[in-house]
Structure formats: structure tokens, C-alpha cells
Amino acid sequence: MAGELEFCLLGPLVVRSGGAVVPVRQAKQRVLLAALLLDANRAVGVDALAEAMWGTTLPPSAPTTVRNYVKRLRDALGDAGRARISSQPRGYSMQVSPGELDVRRFEVLLEAARGAARNGLWARAADQAGAALALWQGEALADIDSDLLRQREVSRLAEMRLYAQEICFDAAVHLGRQAEVIGELRQHVSAHPLRERFHALLMFALYRDGRQAEALAAYQHAYRVLADELAAEPGIELRQLHQRILTGEPAFGVTESASAPAQTPSGNPVGKASPGPAADHVPPAPRQAPGAGAGAVPRQLPAAVGCFTGRDSELAALTALLDARPGARPRAMVISAIGGTAGVGKTALAVHWAHQVAGRFPDGQLYVNLRGYGPGPPVPATDALAAFLRSLGVPGQDIPPEADERAARYRSLLAGKQVLIVLDNAGSADQVRPLLPGTPTCTVVVTSRDALAGLVARDGAARLDLDLLPPAEAVALLQTLIGPRADAEPEAVAELADQCCRLPLALRVAAELAAGRPAASLAGLTVELADLRTRLDLLGVGEDPRTQVRAVFSWSCRQLDADAARAFRLAGLHPGPDLEPYAAAALSGAALPQARRVLEVLARAHLICPAAPGRYVMHDLLQAYARELSAAVDGAQEQHAALTRLFDHYLHTAAAAMDTLFPAEHHRRPRIPQPDTPVPPLADPTAARQWLDGERPALVAAAAHTAARGWPGHATRLSAALSSYLTDGGHIPEAVTVFGHALGAARRTGDRAAEATALNQIGNVDWQQGRIQQASDHYRQAMALYRAAGDRAGEARVLANLGLAVMELGRYAQAARHQQEAVAMYRDIGDRFGEARALGSLGWARQLQGRYQDAAGYYQQSLDLSREIGDRLGEAWALASLGIADLRLCRYQHAAGYLEQAIAMLQEMGDTRGGSESMVRLGDVYLGLGCYEQAAGNFEQALAMSREIGHRVVEADALNGLGDVFFRTGEADKARAHHSTALRLASETGVPREQARAHSGL
């Protein structure tokens, strides 16, 4: 080339030769040069150049004028540039060497940054993306007067610039420089409010900076912006990131995706599985939770405590135990409190250390609060195992019912994996033992007030005894929390540390109190506390550190206004793991704004802690103190009234949520009057699902509390209201707990109707988990009770369910008779919803008998009736069933029409299982038509959907379908691979029909 030049378009157009600027002053020349540069080294037609220069209104002699401008441009570029513009048959070409054009350099650097980020090379990604951004000197083509070029290029380049900025931010956080970019990220979120990636990066940076609450608030802001501007919810990346922050994952990138939890059969007669118990059909509620799909990697550590101070020797001891050879490493590490002292910082130490070493456990981290010490009941090992199994990818319906079976499945899933397991607040060795994995590659950390000597002696655990903070560390923590004020009064700080018994929990409460009284001296506060301790006889005195800590708590509570103090006392009565403003309002009988205000006040005082946006938890020591205060101040009558308001709130709101989601089943749920306290707006199905998912742990706790402590009617009605949600929503362990408590409450009070309902519900759980004979036994017990009570609606419901059970056992004629009787009973009592569902089940029985025409007739009746009563889910199932009947009759076009309608409706209602099964059958339709590409597309979609929800049966079904496609297209190796994978999955899940299909394909 004639000479080295540099061309800049990422800002005002600039041409340099040897560092000196080459002036290109005429506007049209600049447009011409930009057009040639943007298509560098390629021929650009004269007409295209003219359109870039003048738009659609061209001068009469445009070609000649363009040529004249080219001549002038050559002259302007001088010797170094004249020869670069070559004439082509129909236009011109601008020759540019690599590195001479900033746009091309930017694109190369950005691609390098993208590749580095994809491979986790964050330092390189930061360098490359930073170099790319450094090329920008303003808006691209800033002084180029060409609407065509600007429309074509500016938005493209601006998007790439934003992408480079995102990589820079992502790299900074991964490299531990999140604090440096949070402010700039906030500016980008403000400037680009609809760009979800910036919202995600801000959440990620805040979380990695230890600011979990702010990260969750950033999600709420994103949610509101998108809802207000687009009437849409955040995308899957933001939702998954939000869930992972909620569960306290220690290290992840915003580009990683969390698997959705498995969902359970909706009872849909779609695909090759028979429908579920007709009494409780609801689609599974969409849920987002980390690590619930197949191959899930759980990240469950809660957020580390802010301003963690001291404990260096203990941290080093834990790490030394971890560094030991796997064979010499202890099976578990127990962090216990010397003398059983609460609030000594066991959990804070365990979680802080767990975050430090999380990177050494690539297969994930599990966490559970066993609640071994505290006012509420401890978490049974069976429940903890169920939660762990779900987090490790086991769908709810596949979780074994017995503790030994759950423990065996848990150990099998962990075999050979590197997982860190934190068992917090354990009460006994027996509670911990079932949760110990059988592989030396996993590490268990247990915290307990007890020494757990049995775990050490029998199971080889190593114990780390945790004492009060050393005086210097206690003072250092107060100095960190209080700030510069503490430096001015060192003696008072040391006295305050002693008054708090050097317990981290008390130190934090006292520091917040001091921070809330900036005008008071720290010495004055210590005098107040000393005086209070001498007068505090309500809860006892003595040398017990817990007694002294009560004085600290009392000191903090004295600063609350009357409403906040009462709310604190009553919040301690809540039986669940956390609470939100509506529950707080129910407990105190306050208006919602007042409840929100007092929760914020209590959080600022460190008497409760934010767990998620709008949700709060209470340390067990504080909860015990709150309950003691309530017993002394409020009395038994007010406590009973507060809990009654709470349980009324849960009962009414659960029923209202279910009515919103499934209005056609309204008549089957108990009618609950609206309570006097505020209830959330649940007219929108999304809000109803979110409420049920968010409150599920509290609802299960309420069921247990009401059944055992004087509210049996609440227990049985809550069970009836939640039945479909728990059973068909995949929450099988929770269903077992709720239904079991309802059965016990009903039997203790002699409520035979409620007992029959609970037995029917337990039968449905048995059916879901494949225990068909047990399900039949429970249905027959329920049937006898319903008949004795003359409850024909209940009898019809159980009869239909019994028909489904015997259908699974292969007794199709008997199943059809049961369904016919159920249809007749439903018609007799006027229950059109039950009639529609029973007709669908009758059609399924006929289809299994090979009577496809009869089946189609029943499906059509079910469809017509479902449409009449507005049961959209029943309508979708009937459409899918009609499609399958036509598929079996080889009426492929009709089958495709029905299945496509069903898929659209099921996806709209969030029934991913039903949608994935229908998608497989649609693939079968296209396979029958010989449309192999379309068939493969449907099978691949079904495969992706089934893997998203962890539904391995449908996954095997879809893999078999793909195997059939590859076989028919002559790709035998691919067919064999897909059938082999399907066979492995089907064997693991124990589904004979898919095993048979895989064997046939092979």
C-alpha cells in the first residue's frame, strides 16, 4: 500500500497519517469515505454510494457526481491514501490493512473478549473488552451526515459497545473488583432501564460485595421497571439470578443458569401415562429454584454476615481439617458452643468459612437450618433429606416416602461428588446422622450448641469448640460496626463488649442501638445497660451469659415504640421459618403500612433480619426471647388471638389463591370468610402462584401447629384448600406432612368427613409415587367413610380415583366401570366439573383397551363440558387426549390440530409437564407423516422442556422419538446413541414402556 493510515469512525471521523491528522473537510466527502470504510476491501456500487450520500432524493447526474467526489477524496487523502481507492467494474473499493480501521479493531477485540469470558479467562476478557472500549471517542459516525449509514450502522455498533461494557463489568466482579463498578453499573441501569443484562450485573456485583439485601432490592426495581414499561416479567436470567441470590450461592456468574425444579404429573392423560387422581388435578405451579433439575448443582449457602471480624485461628483450623488427605479427613466437622452458649457466632463462622472454600466444591453446596434449638420444633431428618434430594435434581414425586430410602438415595447421588454440606443448628447426633454422605469427597460442617459427643465418637467427626469472642476481637467488631465514634471512647467500647458477654449477636444488636443514638455517648449507654441489668428480674439473673444477653435485648427493645415492641413479641410466635408484612399484620391486627413500618424498624435494630425482599427471619435466641416477653406482657389470651388471626389469614389466602388459579374447582374447596386483617391481591394467576410458592414453608408449619395445638379445623381445611397445589405441584414431602397432620386432627376430633378427605389425599400421593396398591387401600377407606356419611360428592371423587388406580394395575374393564359409576354420580348431584374429568378418565380407560373411537367420543364430551364451565385446564387435557386418539387412528392432520391447540394452552397456564408430553406426541404425528425435520424439532423442544423441569420420563420419551427419526433418516449411529440414553434413563426411573420402546429401537 501507498502508506500507513489510521481511520476512526467510533466518534467523529478522523484520518491520520504518521500521527498527523489528514483533513477531510467536505461533508459529502466524509460520507463517501465512511461508506467505503464500512465496506472496506469490498466493491461498493456507485448507486449504493449515491444513496448513502443523498438518500432517496438523488441528483440528476448522481453517478457522475459520485465519481467527481471520489477524485476529490483521493486528492484529500494524498499520496498515502490515493492509491487505496481502486475503481471496480460498477463502483469503488477502499483497501484497508488489518488494524488501520477502529471499527474492525473493535470487532476483533470484542470477539477475543467474548471468547475469553466464555472460557472463564476473566483477566484477559477485561483487557480485551477494555481495549475495545478505549477506541470509542463518542457516538459512532458522530459527524457523518447520512441517514442511511446511521440507520444501518449506529445502532449495531452501539449494541456492540454495550456488550463490551457488560463483559468489562462481568470480568470486574469475577476478579473481585465489584466495589469499583457498582456506581457505574447503577448509571448504566438508569440509562438503559429495559436492558435486563445491566440489571443482572448490578445484582451480581452487589451480591458479590456482600450486599445481598441491596441485590434483592435491585431485582425488585428491575421487576417494577419491566412491568411498568413492557407489562412483562423479568426474563429467565434475571429470575434465576434472583433465586440464586435468595439461596446465598457463593460464586456464580450471571451467564450461568439455574435449573428449574421438577414438576409433577398434572394428571393429564397426555402421552403414555394415565391421568392422576381426578379429584386434585391442577397444573404444577411454575417455580424457579436453583439446582432442581437433572444434574443440578445446588448453591444454597446463605449470605455471609457483613463485617465478619476475628476467628482467624478457628478459620485456619477448619481449613487444616479440609486440607487433610481424603482418607484422613474427618467425616464431619462440628462447630459447637462451649457451655451451650447461644449467639456465639457458630452459624456466622460456618457460613463465612463455607464461602471461603466454596470453590473447592464444584458439585455444589447444601445448607439446612435444622432448628435443633429454639422455640419451634426441630426439622426432622426426613424433611431435610427431602429438601436436599429436590436440590440434587430429584423431582418431588420421585422422593421416597421412608427415611431410610431417602437417606440411601441421598448417599447415592453424592457418591464420588465434591459437595459441601452445612447442617446448621443441629439438636442431636441422631438428627445429623442420616444427613452424612457416604463418600469421603464430601465435607460436612455441623453447628450445634451441643458438643455432639456421639457424632465424634461413633462417626469420626472433629469438633471445634467455639468460645466467646476474645476481648480484642469483640472490641474490633464493635469498632467496625459503630464506626469512628468508637475510636473516641475506647474504654466505653471495652465495657460495652463485656456487657454484651462478647457474643457476636448481642454485639451487633448493641452496635445498632448505639448507631441509632448518635447524640448519646457510648459511656452513657454502658451506664444505662448496667443499671438495667440490675433491675431486670422478669427473666432471671445470674452468671448465665444468656441472661446477660437478655439484658442487651431488653435494652434494645426499650428503644422501640409500643407498636414495634408488640410486633416483635408477636413475631416470635410465628411457627414458620420466616414471615412477610401480611403475616405480621395478621399477628398484630395492624394495617399493612403499619406492619411494613414496624418490620423495617425491627430490621434496623437487628431484632429481625431480611431474608429476601419483604421477608424476614428471626434468630432462634431472639425468637425465644420474644416469646418469653409475649408470655409475660401479652398473656395467653392475646397470644391465642394473634395466632388465630394468622391462621385465618393463611387459610383464607390459600383458598383465594387456588380459586384464582382454578376457578372451575371452586366448589370443591372449603369456603373461608375473609379475615379482618389485610390480604394480598391475588386476582392475577401469576400473583397467586407466587404467593403459594413463597408461603409454602409457612403453610406447612401452620398445618403442623394448628393440628397439634388447638386449631384442628384450620388444619383440615388448610389441607383441603392446598390439596391440588401440593400433590400435582410436585411438593410431595410437604403434601405428606400436611395431609398427615390433617388426618391426625380429623381423627382426634371425630370429624369423619375430614378424615375421608385426608385419606383420599394420601391416596393421591401414593398414586403419584407409584404405590398403587397402597393408594387403592386408602381410597377404599375413604370410600367407606364417605358412604357412611352419605357424602355422594366425596364418594364419586374417590370412585374416580380408584378407577385410575386399578387402571395402572392393568384392569381396564374394572377401571371403566368405576369411571362410569363416577360419571353417573356426578351427573346425579350436578357436579359438572367432576363429570368432565371422569369422562376424560373413562376415555383413557377405553383407549387403553384399544377402543379409540369410543375414547374419542368421551374425550369430546369432556371437552364440550370443560368449555361450558370454563375449565381451561380440563379443556387443554381433553384436546391433547383427542389428538392422541387421532394419532392412534393414524388421522395425523386432525391429531396435529388438537395437539397444537393443547400445547398452546398448557404453555399459557404454565403446565410444562403437560406441554412437554404433548410436544412428544406431536413429534409422533410428524413422524407418522414422514416429516422428519418437523418431528425432530418437536422432540428436541420436548427434550429441552423435560430437562428444564427435571422430568426424566418425558426426557426418555423424547430421546426415543429422536432415535426413531434418526433411524428413518438412515443415521443409525445417532439413533443407537439416543435409544441407549433413553434406555438408561428409563431403567433408572423404572418406566417399562420407555424401556420397551428403547429396546425396540435398538
Side-chain angles (χ1 to χ4, degrees):
M1 285 192 184
E4 291 290 331
L5 287 175
E6 182 183 1
F7 302 99
C8 301
L9 294 175
L10 300 179
L13 186 146
V14 176
V15 182
R16 294 187 180 91
S17 176
V21 175
V22 177
V24 181
R25 294 188 175 90
Q26 291 187 6
K28 294 300 181 188
Q29 284 185 15
R30 299 170 74 81
V31 173
L32 174 64
L33 177 57
L36 290 169
L37 288 170
L38 288 168
D39 278 303
N41 304 319
R42 292 195 294 267
V44 184
V46 170
D47 291 344
L49 292 171
E51 189 174 357
M53 296 169 71
W54 289 283
T56 56
T57 308
L58 300 179
S61 56
T64 301
T65 306
V66 168
R67 293 187 183 96
N68 289 333
Y69 272 109
V70 169
K71 180 180 181 301
R72 295 172 193 165
L73 179 60
R74 282 171 171 159
D75 293 340
L77 295 177
D79 294 340
R82 184 177 289 109
R84 291 171 177 269
I85 305 176
S86 61
S87 299
Q88 302 295 325
R90 295 186 179 181
Y92 298 92
S93 174
M94 181 80 178
Q95 301 303 307
V96 176
S97 297
E100 288 188 325
L101 177 60
D102 63 348
V103 172
R104 296 290 174 261
R105 295 206 308 276
F106 172 74
E107 292 171 338
V108 170
L109 287 166
L110 180 57
E111 185 56 36
R114 186 202 310 259
R118 190 182 302 119
N119 293 312
L121 304 173
W122 291 108
R124 176 172 171 75
D127 290 343
Q128 298 295 310
L133 290 170
L135 295 171
W136 285 74
Q137 302 300 316
E139 183 183 346
L141 309 181
D143 59 348
I144 302 302
D145 187 15
S146 170
D147 291 340
L148 175 69
L149 292 182
R150 293 181 64 79
Q151 290 170 7
R152 192 182 76 190
E153 297 292 338
V154 170
S155 61
R156 178 184 74 87
L157 291 169
E159 177 66 24
M160 294 172 69
R161 183 183 189 181
L162 289 174
Y163 182 66
Q165 187 64 69
E166 290 169 350
I167 293 177
C168 276
F169 288 140
D170 208 354
V173 180
H174 276 93
L175 294 170
R177 300 199 302 265
Q178 57 271 1
E180 301 172 17
V181 298
I182 287 173
E184 194 175 351
L185 267 169
R186 291 193 192 278
Q187 294 175 4
H188 277 73
V189 165
S190 178
H192 308 281
L194 302 184
R195 194 175 182 89
E196 291 192 34
R197 183 71 173 172
F198 281 136
H199 288 287
L201 285 163
L202 176 59
M203 292 165 59
F204 182 40
L206 288 166
Y207 180 68
R208 289 291 289 268
D209 200 41
R211 296 152 70 174
Q212 183 187 32
E214 291 181 63
L216 295 171
Y219 174 78
Q220 295 300 318
H221 172 72
Y223 192 105
R224 289 192 298 271
V225 168
L226 295 170
D228 292 344
E229 297 294 332
L230 303 178
E233 292 186 0
I236 189 169
E237 179 187 7
L238 269 182
R239 296 199 306 271
Q240 290 175 340
L241 178 62
H242 174 232
Q243 191 62 41
R244 300 176 85 169
I245 290 172
L246 278 176
T247 54
E249 296 193 27
F252 56 83
V254 293
T255 55
E256 300 172 2
S257 62
S259 302
Q263 297 176 358
T264 61
S266 60
N268 181 0
V270 173
K272 299 182 179 180
S274 58
D280 299 290
H281 284 172
V282 293
R287 293 175 283 132
Q288 296 295 330
V297 178
R299 310 284 190 187
Q300 295 186 337
L301 293 178
V305 65
C307 302
F308 186 90
T309 301
R311 301 295 192 193
D312 293 338
S313 60
E314 289 87 352
L315 291 168
L318 290 170
T319 302
L321 290 169
L322 181 61
D323 289 339
R325 291 182 299 104
R329 184 183 301 161
R331 192 177 182 191
M333 293 182 269
V334 178
I335 301 174
S336 63
I338 292 178
T341 302
V344 77
K346 303 178 298 297
T347 299
L349 173 65
V351 172
H352 183 82
W353 179 79
H355 279 291
Q356 286 185 340
V357 300
R360 299 170 64 171
F361 297 92
D363 296 314
Q365 302 86 42
L366 295 169
Y367 172 88
V368 64
N369 180 359
L370 294 172
R371 302 176 71 176
Y373 289 89
V379 175
T382 51
D383 291 355
L385 284 166
F388 281 171
L389 288 172
R390 189 181 280 115
S391 299
L392 292 168
V394 180
Q397 72 269 20
D398 293 337
I399 294 175
E402 301 299 329
D404 290 345
E405 294 176 4
R406 290 182 182 181
R409 184 77 176 273
Y410 168 72
R411 290 192 296 271
S412 297
L413 288 172
L414 291 180
K417 291 187 175 181
Q418 299 178 67
V419 176
L420 176 63
I421 303 142
V422 180
L423 308 177
D424 192 18
N425 195 11
S428 67
D430 289 339
Q431 190 185 22
V432 169
R433 202 163 276 125
L435 304 175
L436 297 179
T439 178
T441 55
C442 292
T443 294
V444 181
V445 179
V446 185
T447 75
S448 178
R449 295 187 200 173
D450 187 79
L452 299 184
L455 206 65
V456 174
R458 175 178 162 185
D459 299 278
R463 189 169 72 232
L464 177 67
D465 292 326
L466 202 59
D467 203 348
L468 307 175
L469 278 175
E473 292 183 5
V475 168
L477 179 57
L478 281 175
Q479 289 171 333
T480 301
L481 294 170
I482 295 174
R485 272 174 72 201
D487 297 334
E489 298 185 71
E491 292 182 1
V493 171
E495 175 65 18
L496 186 59
D498 287 339
Q499 290 176 326
C500 292
C501 307
R502 305 199 310 277
L503 289 175
L505 175 62
L507 290 167
R508 290 178 181 278
V509 172
E512 183 59 34
L513 182 62
R517 300 173 65 181
S521 70
L522 297 181
L525 294 178
T526 62
V527 170
E528 283 189 48
L529 181 56
D531 179 65
L532 176 64
R533 280 178 52 198
T534 62
R535 293 185 290 107
L536 188 63
D537 56 5
L538 173 64
L539 301 171
V541 294
E543 297 304 320
D544 182 356
R546 286 171 291 184
T547 299
Q548 299 179 50
V549 170
R550 285 187 179 97
V552 178
F553 295 162
S554 177
W555 187 33
S556 185
C557 288
R558 289 179 67 206
Q559 311 308 311
L560 301 175
D561 61 56
D563 289 338
R566 180 170 178 269
F568 170 70
R569 297 193 304 270
L570 297 179
L573 304 178
H574 194 284
D578 59 9
L579 81 164
E580 44 74 56
Y582 285 98
L587 279 166
S588 62
L592 186 62
Q594 175 72 358
R596 287 194 169 119
R597 184 193 72 81
V598 296
L599 287 173
E600 291 171 0
V601 169
L602 296 176
R604 287 197 299 271
H606 285 274
L607 295 173
I608 59 174
C609 297
R615 304 194 73 85
Y616 300 88
V617 296
M618 186 180 286
H619 188 281
D620 60 350
L621 190 56
L622 280 163
Q623 188 174 21
Y625 176 69
R627 290 191 178 189
E628 290 173 344
L629 272 184
S630 182
V633 177
D634 302 313
Q637 186 173 351
E638 172 55 19
Q639 287 182 321
H640 187 274
L643 285 171
T644 300
R645 289 193 299 266
L646 177 69
F647 300 142
D648 285 348
H649 161 72
Y650 281 142
L651 188 53
H652 167 81
T653 313
M658 293 298 291
D659 285 346
T660 296
L661 289 173
F662 311 107
E665 297 181 43
H666 174 84
H667 64 290
R668 290 194 168 183
R669 283 182 286 275
R671 295 300 94 218
I672 313 297
Q674 181 160 334
D676 295 331
T677 56
V679 294
L682 299 179
D684 173 67
T686 300
R689 287 192 184 98
Q690 288 176 343
W691 187 87
L692 287 167
D693 288 341
E695 296 303 312
R696 186 168 65 248
L699 293 170
V700 174
H705 196 99
T706 53
R709 302 190 183 184
W711 292 268
H714 284 75
T716 55
R717 288 182 294 163
L718 187 60
S719 175
L722 292 172
S723 179
S724 297
Y725 167 73
L726 293 174
T727 307
D728 291 331
H731 314 302
I732 299 302
E734 293 89 342
V736 171
T737 299
V738 172
F739 301 160
H741 284 300
L743 180 61
R747 284 176 171 170
R748 283 192 296 272
T749 58
D751 188 340
R752 307 302 291 277
E755 181 181 355
T757 299
L759 286 166
N760 181 49
Q761 292 168 330
I762 293 170
N764 292 344
V765 173
D766 291 332
W767 191 97
Q768 289 271 61
Q769 296 198 299
R771 300 189 299 275
I772 307 304
Q773 192 57 58
Q774 285 180 247
S776 300
D777 293 343
H778 282 117
Y779 290 146
R780 289 190 174 93
Q781 292 177 54
M783 177 96 66
L785 289 170
Y786 278 131
R787 282 177 175 166
D791 186 343
R792 301 198 68 212
E795 183 181 350
R797 190 155 55 247
V798 177
L799 191 61
N801 288 342
L802 187 59
L804 294 173
V806 298
M807 198 186 302
E808 285 288 342
L809 298 173
R811 301 200 289 266
Y812 303 137
Q814 182 183 354
R817 288 196 299 273
H818 284 320
Q819 299 299 346
Q820 286 173 321
E821 290 181 49
V823 168
M825 294 180 71
Y826 279 130
R827 284 175 175 165
D828 189 44
I829 62 177
D831 187 343
R832 305 178 76 203
F833 172 85
E835 179 187 349
R837 296 299 176 86
L839 283 167
S841 297
L842 177 55
W844 187 248
R846 294 305 187 204
Q847 183 167 311
L848 290 173
Q849 290 177 299
R851 297 166 60 177
Y852 300 127
Q853 294 286 6
D854 289 350
Y858 290 122
Y859 291 149
Q860 186 62 54
Q861 292 181 58
S862 177
L863 176 64
D864 294 342
L865 193 49
S866 295
R867 284 174 170 169
E868 285 180 28
I869 63 177
D871 180 9
R872 285 179 53 76
L873 187 59
E875 179 184 350
W877 291 343
L879 285 167
S881 300
L882 282 166
I884 296 169
D886 278 336
L887 170 63
R888 300 290 178 251
L889 293 167
C890 299
R891 297 202 293 251
Y892 295 123
Q893 295 296 344
H894 287 90
Y898 283 129
L899 286 165
E900 286 168 353
Q901 289 182 69
I903 288 169
M905 293 179 69
L906 290 165
Q907 289 179 342
E908 176 190 339
M909 290 181 287
D911 188 352
T912 307
R913 171 185 167 122
S916 63
E917 290 180 343
S918 298
M919 194 73 74
V920 174
R921 300 287 76 80
L922 187 59
D924 286 339
V925 168
Y926 285 119
L927 195 64
L929 290 169
C931 302
Y932 301 134
E933 185 174 349
Q934 288 172 282
N938 280 281
F939 290 137
E940 286 168 354
Q941 278 186 267
L943 187 62
M945 293 166 69
S946 63
R947 284 175 173 167
E948 178 187 350
I949 62 174
H951 198 322
R952 305 177 81 199
V953 175
V954 180
E955 183 180 352
D957 201 357
L959 285 165
N960 273 323
L962 283 168
D964 291 342
V965 170
F966 286 125
F967 177 75
R968 296 194 190 189
T969 56
E971 300 175 86
D973 289 342
K974 289 184 179 179
R976 186 179 298 108
H978 282 78
H979 284 308
S980 296
T981 305
L983 179 59
R984 176 179 59 79
L985 284 171
S987 300
E988 290 175 0
T989 54
V991 181
R993 62 179 179 274
E994 292 305 330
Q995 294 178 49
R997 187 178 174 194
H999 280 300
S1000 177
L1002 288 168

